[in-house]
Amino acid sequence: TWETAVDMWNLAKQAYYIPRDPETGAFDPEVPEAKRMRVDEFGYRRVHCISRSDLQVVVAAAASRVVMAFRGTKNAENVATDVRFVRTAVREWDDALLGCLARVRVHSGFWEAHCCIRAETQNTVKEFIEGCRRDGLEPTVYVTGHSLGGALAVLAAFDLALAGVEVTCYTFGGPRVGNGSFAAAYDRLVPETYRVVNERDAITKVPLSGLTLGLFRHVGTAVAVDRMGNLVLRPTHVERLFLPVAGRSLASHRMDSYRDALNAVCRVFHVPMEAGDPAKALV
């Protein structure tokens, strides 16, 4: 639902913020209020937060729902210029997907980043699932992220799905992650994946696509939005031509650009802009 998309967006943005100290439970007094992670404002409690170099993922929960929100890069230009077109094979995935005619390949840089936090994030979510089931609750698992965070969310969702976990994924401004074999296997295992694209977001156009070259291909269901409040589910090439804004732009990738577009859609469709308080806009 669009309400869930708004929820996921707010958590994806919280992944950019600085969490409380895990030992004291308090914020560093030098961290400005505007930079502090506050998932509780959206009805969640922080279960875990993992930081590795420039990577960060927050695991948050509300009742029997658990969400992994991945932080994206802080610099859109770096994404556009540093995206390498090198793909790597994931042998364990090839072994698990014997039905694939071609080998699964994913972006090597995204895979390396995923491996830095893979074990800890997967274990945290699996522990939450086990706890819910001990309490007689059926858990629901979501992953989300903006930019690089969207790519990491896709890889995490695929890992969980291969382990038998039913997962839903929402990405915002995410790049392509793997080749056609990966996309086909992913869409089969994680059918509830929604890829939100704002206007001319250039990052969603990389790495290069090419069915004949076997390069990279998007996963999930595309959801096109813009600042006028238009929303098109699975836009065709013709529909994209008639959208008010066309072309490519790094400005459309910025967090505030996505916020403005999502707010506009909420106003057009009369959807509460923030869980628990319809009067507030997306932060």
Side-chain angles (χ1 to χ4, degrees):
T1 65
W2 189 248
E3 289 89 344
T4 302
V6 169
D7 220 22
M8 294 303 109
W9 163 256
N10 282 320
L11 291 175
K13 184 163 185 179
Q14 287 296 305
Y16 281 89
Y17 295 161
I18 300 172
R20 298 174 187 270
D21 184 284
E23 295 183 1
T24 66
F27 287 110
D28 183 329
E30 295 185 4
V31 176
E33 283 285 338
K35 297 293 184 181
R36 296 181 177 186
M37 183 185 293
R38 298 189 182 278
V39 298
D40 53 300
E41 292 186 359
F42 306 100
Y44 288 83
R45 62 181 175 84
R46 197 189 79 189
V47 175
H48 196 40
C49 188
I50 305 160
S51 296
R52 298 281 188 280
S53 184
D54 194 38
L55 302 174
Q56 181 164 284
V57 54
V58 57
V59 182
S64 60
R65 171 189 285 189
V66 63
V67 182
M68 283 195 293
F70 294 83
R71 183 174 71 189
T73 182
K74 295 180 180 179
N75 189 321
E77 279 107 6
N78 285 349
V79 178
T81 58
D82 295 345
V83 166
R84 292 171 291 168
F85 301 135
V86 178
R87 295 171 299 162
T88 187
V90 183
R91 186 61 56 85
E92 64 187 275
W93 286 356
D94 278 337
D95 293 342
L97 299 166
L98 296 178
C100 290
L101 295 178
R103 288 187 176 181
V104 165
R105 296 285 189 274
V106 296
H107 184 279
S108 60
F110 300 158
W111 176 250
E112 290 167 11
H114 174 61
C115 287
C116 290
I117 53 179
R118 183 186 190 190
E120 195 169 352
T121 54
Q122 303 291 309
N123 290 337
T124 299
V125 170
K126 289 174 181 176
E127 288 172 8
F128 178 87
I129 291 173
E130 291 169 2
C132 284
R133 289 176 175 161
R134 283 195 302 268
D135 294 336
L137 300 172
E138 188 55 37
T140 54
V141 181
Y142 290 80
V143 294
T144 188
H146 166 260
S147 192
L148 168 64
L152 296 178
V154 166
L155 292 173
F158 194 63
D159 254 344
L160 286 169
L162 281 174
V165 176
E166 187 174 333
V167 58
T168 300
C169 179
Y170 283 82
T171 68
F172 303 87
R176 298 183 180 97
V177 175
N179 65 354
S181 291
F182 170 77
Y186 179 95
D187 287 343
R188 187 172 72 249
L189 290 173
V190 195
E192 294 296 316
T193 294
Y194 303 95
R195 183 170 53 82
V196 182
V197 179
N198 176 46
E199 297 185 355
R200 301 176 293 161
D201 188 344
I203 303 306
T204 64
K205 309 298 183 184
V206 297
L208 295 176
S209 176
L211 296 178
T212 57
L213 298 176
L215 298 179
F216 293 85
R217 207 179 88 193
H218 271 305
V219 301
T221 299
V223 183
V225 297
D226 63 39
R227 75 195 85 167
M228 276 70 79
N230 293 299
L231 182 153
V232 182
L233 190 67
R234 301 185 186 89
T236 65
H237 179 68
V238 173
E239 286 173 322
R240 290 181 187 278
L241 292 177
F242 285 95
L243 289 174
V245 183
R248 298 186 182 187
S249 168
L250 286 175
S252 298
H253 184 70
R254 293 199 306 257
M255 296 290 284
D256 56 351
S257 294
Y258 270 86
R259 178 202 60 207
D260 292 345
L262 295 174
N263 272 330
V265 172
C266 287
R267 286 192 293 270
V268 169
F269 290 94
H270 306 290
V271 174
M273 297 181 187
E274 181 180 311
D277 191 348
K280 291 184 179 180
L282 294 164
V283 295

